[in-house]
Amino acid sequence: MSQRPTISFAKPSSQTEGVVVLLNAEEGGLPASASTFDPQGVLPRAIEAASFKGKSGTSADLLAPHGTSLDRLVVLGAGKPSALDESGWLKLGGAVQAAARKAKRVTVVLDIDSVEASAEDAARIAMGILLRAYNFDKYKTRKDDNGDDSPKETAFVIACADPQAAKKAFAELEAIAGGVLLARDLVNEPANILGPVEFAAKAKELEKLGVEVEILEAADMEKLGMGALLGVAQGSERPAKLVVMQWNGGKAKDKPVAFVGKGVVFDSGGISIKPAAGMEDMKGDMGGAAAVTGLMHALAARKAKVNVVGIIGLVENMLDGKAQRPGDIVTSMSGQTIEVLNTDAEGRLVLADALWYCNDRFEPRFMINLATLTGAILIALGQHHAGLFSNNDELAERLFASGQSTGEKVWRMPMGPDYDKLIDSKNADMKNIGGRHAGAITAAQFLQRFVKETPWAHLDVAGTAMASPANEISQSWASGYGVRLLDRLVRDHYEG
Ligand code: BES
Ligand code: MN
Ligand code: ZN
């Protein structure tokens, strides 16, 4: 990956090297400190000439301002600072990173209008910088088209009132950002490089942070009777893996919370093959597993006081002489039989066994699974909300609230016996597809048949995990969706 910027915090000073970024409120005008960096007082005229008004998302650039040794003095619109919420500060950090444009050294002056940026706000700016700076360029062997060989690493100094407190707040956010970037890396990586074996090895690296990692092999899953998961994997040359990660930061007697991820490293559709156009996107069909892995990273790196289990089912859905056929009937670990009417509805087959195993072994306080499960959720919600399905109102409401505060939003979808009926099968206990209607819901009903009474939520992240529109804090195809959302859920309700 492109190198991560380094970030530190310091008291405001008049040091004048590299690039200085000043935040300018929409109605307040230039910050009081502006004159420190603009001894000749040219800034007011310059921003007037640029018609710069401080609107968020806008900036004005002054090159090598006279009387200073700065390379650039950037004035960045902060909008209405009083209206800046948590994700507002994060986005502002993203804007800072964009305005810095690969400069070697950047000082960000956090004195906006009359708003006193807290240490937490300063830390959020820093997190926004990290998230925006991510760029999946490891396979680019040539310089960019402009022959740009400018330094890859930027050192940011955030000038704020209480650098010690900001540094402390940032330590936690940096842990979370690390989880988001790990999830993005996993999703962006092509399937020839990241198969089930390689993904499992990546998860194993979390041991460095104190996470316990077990890897169940195909033979182990065979013994457990995971016929649903293994049926998907049988058309691939690459063996399935089930990875069990445990972070025990809570009290020994406390039951864990559990997260389960769909990890289809590539989804060709199997014998019910997908159309060619856009099939390359199915390298991202492990976005749920990536989010679970990123979340485990985040929780362990910030030493969350909670016991957590993360389980990911890693398979490749391919066509082959050995591949599963439409019409095949498989027996899941739960004992329930499934008629596979469409081999492209494979994610639910993987999750059926992963969820059952998780519930059976850990009796968790809740289970939340994440999966790029259906195209239908994209039709329903587009790319700005994940579909939320749950058997528990409290859990659903908590997830909704975490979505609102982090900006990783969820929208609850209905479930019920009328939908459940749609997956009854003539020949087995259930079939793996419903009809044409309510495709995201029938997929959720299918999963629910493997969770018993445990509080459970399913997040369909097909629209939010990949092919993501660029925004203030992500320029990446893979968004890392879910890590910040679930870290927040855990922090707000299940720690300590
Ligand atoms: N991985 C896909 C869902 C998907 C679609 C994810 C688009 C991301 C973007 C899933 O395995 C799938 O193929 N679902 C089918 C289900 C159908 C066969 C019932 C779908 O949504 O078309
Ligand atoms: Mn599929
Ligand atoms: Zn899939």
Side-chain angles (χ1 to χ4, degrees):
M1 278 359 81
S2 51
Q3 265 199 307
R4 285 186 200 176
T6 62
I7 300 180
S8 58
F9 301 88
K11 287 257 189 223
S13 82
S14 56
Q15 77 76 29
T16 47
E17 259 184 34
V19 174
V20 165
V21 178
L22 300 173
L23 303 181
N24 186 116
E26 191 169 333
E27 274 143 17
L30 283 164
S33 58
S35 57
T36 319
F37 305 97
D38 175 31
Q40 314 262 336
V42 297
L43 210 45
R45 223 185 114 196
I47 61 175
E48 165 90 40
S51 313
F52 173 86
K53 299 252 168 20
K55 274 215 171 62
S56 85
T58 64
S59 65
D61 231 311
L62 213 61
L63 298 177
H66 197 60
T68 75
S69 50
L70 292 182
D71 296 331
R72 287 193 287 136
L73 182 56
V74 181
V75 190
L76 185 66
K80 297 189 174 65
S82 54
L84 282 176
D85 56 6
E86 187 183 321
S87 63
W89 288 102
L90 218 56
K91 289 175 181 171
L92 198 51
V96 166
Q97 152 65 27
R101 293 206 312 261
K102 296 188 185 172
K104 233 185 181 132
R105 183 177 163 75
V106 179
T107 304
V108 188
V109 181
L110 277 203
D111 128 36
I112 336 173
D113 199 24
S114 54
V115 171
E116 176 88 37
S118 70
E120 191 70 21
D121 299 336
R124 294 209 181 283
I125 293 230
M127 185 186 199
I129 290 172
L130 283 186
L131 295 179
R132 175 70 173 253
Y134 174 90
N135 178 19
F136 184 74
D137 58 3
K138 67 190 274 201
Y139 297 108
K140 295 267 196 189
T141 65
R142 279 174 279 120
K143 291 171 187 165
D144 71 23
D145 295 344
N146 308 319
D148 181 3
D149 57 357
S150 55
K152 287 258 186 300
E153 190 180 341
T154 306
F156 286 87
V157 179
I158 300 182
C160 56
D162 188 347
Q164 275 313 330
K167 193 175 164 199
K168 194 158 165 257
F170 181 55
E172 299 246 311
L173 297 188
E174 194 176 20
I176 300 164
V180 176
L181 301 189
L182 171 59
R184 287 185 188 171
D185 271 351
L186 290 166
V187 174
N188 279 324
E189 200 68 61
N192 62 323
I193 306 293
L194 192 86
V197 174
E198 295 79 13
F199 194 140
K202 278 279 179 197
K204 192 88 180 154
E205 287 178 20
L206 293 180
E207 284 180 342
K208 280 186 238 157
L209 295 173
V211 178
E212 280 172 41
V213 184
E214 286 164 67
I215 300 175
L216 276 66
E217 307 294 335
D220 303 316
M221 292 187 262
E222 197 93 54
K223 274 188 213 126
L224 288 162
M226 295 189 173
L229 185 153
L230 289 170
V232 178
Q234 78 192 28
S236 171
E237 291 289 324
R238 306 199 270 184
K241 306 265 176 187
L242 187 85
V243 182
V244 181
M245 298 168 270
Q246 293 185 68
W247 167 251
N248 293 314
K251 301 189 189 84
K253 62 169 174 42
D254 286 353
K255 289 271 179 215
V257 297
F259 299 93
V260 179
K262 167 180 173 181
V264 178
V265 297
F266 186 73
D267 180 12
S268 67
I271 299 297
S272 315
I273 190 169
K274 287 183 181 295
M279 201 202 275
E280 65 277 10
D281 279 1
M282 287 302 114
K283 72 171 185 177
D285 207 18
M286 25 57 72
V292 170
T293 309
L295 176 66
M296 295 306 289
H297 172 105
L299 295 172
R302 69 171 183 79
K303 300 196 164 35
K305 292 189 182 54
V306 59
N307 298 331
V308 194
V309 174
I311 295 184
I312 55 178
L314 301 172
V315 301
E316 182 178 41
N317 190 21
M318 293 294 268
L319 307 85
D320 181 80
K322 297 202 215 60
Q324 149 166 285
R325 292 150 291 258
D328 283 5
I329 296 178
V330 296
T331 303
S332 66
M333 182 183 174
S334 72
Q336 300 176 91
T337 56
I338 304 161
E339 186 176 24
V340 179
L341 291 184
N342 189 320
T343 64
D344 197 12
E346 84 298 340
R348 63 199 75 182
L349 298 170
V350 173
L351 286 171
D353 281 336
L355 284 166
W356 188 269
Y357 176 82
C358 179
N359 208 11
D360 194 53
R361 174 167 169 196
F362 294 103
E363 296 172 5
R365 292 164 76 181
F366 68 68
M367 290 197 287
I368 296 177
N369 73 257
L370 297 98
T372 48
L373 202 63
T374 68
I377 202 65
L378 264 152
I379 305 300
L381 298 177
Q383 300 196 280
H384 303 291
H385 287 83
L388 162 64
F389 303 81
S390 184
N391 63 0
N392 185 285
D393 291 343
E394 184 183 60
L395 184 59
E397 277 155 27
R398 288 175 171 181
L399 276 163
F400 181 79
S402 302
Q404 292 304 112
S405 39
T406 56
E408 292 195 330
K409 291 176 290 200
V410 302
W411 196 259
R412 192 167 182 186
M413 302 283 286
M415 298 190 74
D418 292 334
Y419 293 110
D420 185 72
K421 270 207 292 258
L422 301 176
I423 53 168
D424 285 338
S425 154
K426 274 205 310 270
N427 302 310
D429 296 333
M430 69 194 90
K431 51 189 180 183
N432 75 332
I433 50 171
R436 245 174 61 76
H437 296 160
I441 304 175
T442 49
Q445 294 294 158
F446 184 96
L447 299 182
Q448 196 182 3
R449 291 189 180 204
F450 299 88
V451 301
K452 297 197 205 163
E453 302 304 314
T454 304
W456 157 80
H458 152 52
L459 296 173
D460 193 334
V461 296
T464 50
M466 59 159 110
S468 312
N471 64 30
E472 295 90 336
I473 56 170
S474 176
Q475 301 286 303
S476 161
W477 184 78
S479 63
Y481 178 95
V483 176
R484 291 189 300 115
L485 171 75
L486 298 173
D487 174 83
R488 177 57 54 91
L489 176 81
V490 169
R491 165 187 302 259
D492 282 352
H493 302 287
Y494 301 95
E495 276 190 67

